[in-house]
Amino acid sequence: MKRLILLICLCSVSLFVNAQENNTNDIENIKSVIQTSYIDGIQNLGKIKDIKKGFHKEFELLSHRGEDLHKLPLETWIGYVKKAKKNNVKMNSKITCSYKMIDITGDAAIVKLELNREDKHLYTDYLSLYKFPEGWKIVGKTYQRF
């Protein structure tokens, strides 16, 4: 009986450790997608191919003004990035982010992050992600501007 209890405990610990390792890998993969596609790509006018790699083609940014809800599809947002690059828009400093929360359940994740330029807090973003066979993709965004 003691051996059976010990075996059950060891299996439980093994499953817990494996779940933590998978969660750590997922967190690092999510951060990588956000950094490359969203922060370096969208926010800091990076490579369009990097943006498209990390965002799902059906992505939508949701914003509100008063009672009105506005949707911005990915291709429109990419159009703004292309226009800024074409017009040689230069930023005095790059936007950076700090992660406030990453919550993962299975193949779904929500990330709360703060966007900053120098020491100024610009936005708090809530990004939704799903894990697809090719990896994590950003599928939606809501935010608060400061």
Side-chain angles (χ1 to χ4, degrees):
M1 183 67 173
K2 287 182 182 180
R3 287 184 183 179
L4 179 60
I5 292 172
L6 181 60
L7 181 62
I8 291 170
C9 288
L10 288 174
C11 288
S12 297
V13 168
S14 175
L15 289 172
F16 177 74
V17 169
N18 189 37
Q20 281 188 317
E21 287 173 6
N22 288 340
N23 200 26
T24 300
N25 290 337
D26 283 331
I27 289 170
E28 292 308 312
N29 290 333
I30 287 168
K31 285 182 174 182
S32 177
V33 165
I34 290 171
Q35 184 64 47
T36 302
S37 299
Y38 179 52
I39 302 301
D40 295 339
I42 293 278
Q43 295 295 336
N44 291 312
L45 307 178
K47 297 177 183 175
I48 301 303
K49 70 175 180 72
D50 288 342
I51 295 169
K52 289 184 176 183
K53 185 176 179 184
F55 282 83
H56 190 273
K57 63 184 179 187
E58 299 297 323
F59 166 89
E60 283 190 336
L61 182 156
L62 298 174
S63 62
H64 76 89
R65 289 184 198 105
E67 293 295 317
D68 296 329
L69 185 64
H70 301 275
K71 295 180 182 182
L72 182 72
L74 179 61
E75 285 304 317
T76 303
W77 209 9
I78 288 174
Y80 295 154
V81 172
K82 287 179 180 178
K83 184 176 180 181
K85 290 173 76 158
K86 181 180 177 184
N87 293 333
N88 291 317
V89 171
K90 300 289 181 202
M91 295 180 276
N92 294 337
S93 59
K94 295 202 178 248
I95 289 179
T96 60
C97 74
S98 58
Y99 293 89
K100 300 303 175 185
M101 179 204 61
I102 299 176
D103 189 3
I104 303 168
T105 304
D107 290 338
I110 189 84
V111 177
K112 177 182 178 181
L113 60 145
E114 290 182 357
L115 298 183
N116 303 288
R117 178 173 282 130
E118 295 173 348
D119 290 332
K120 186 175 180 190
H121 180 192
L122 304 173
Y123 299 94
T124 295
D125 288 348
Y126 296 88
L127 302 177
S128 301
L129 297 94
Y130 274 124
K131 188 175 187 180
F132 294 92
E134 64 274 10
W136 288 96
K137 300 274 186 181
I138 304 167
V139 299
K141 172 187 165 177
T142 60
Y143 67 96
Q144 177 62 52
R145 179 190 315 239
F146 293 93

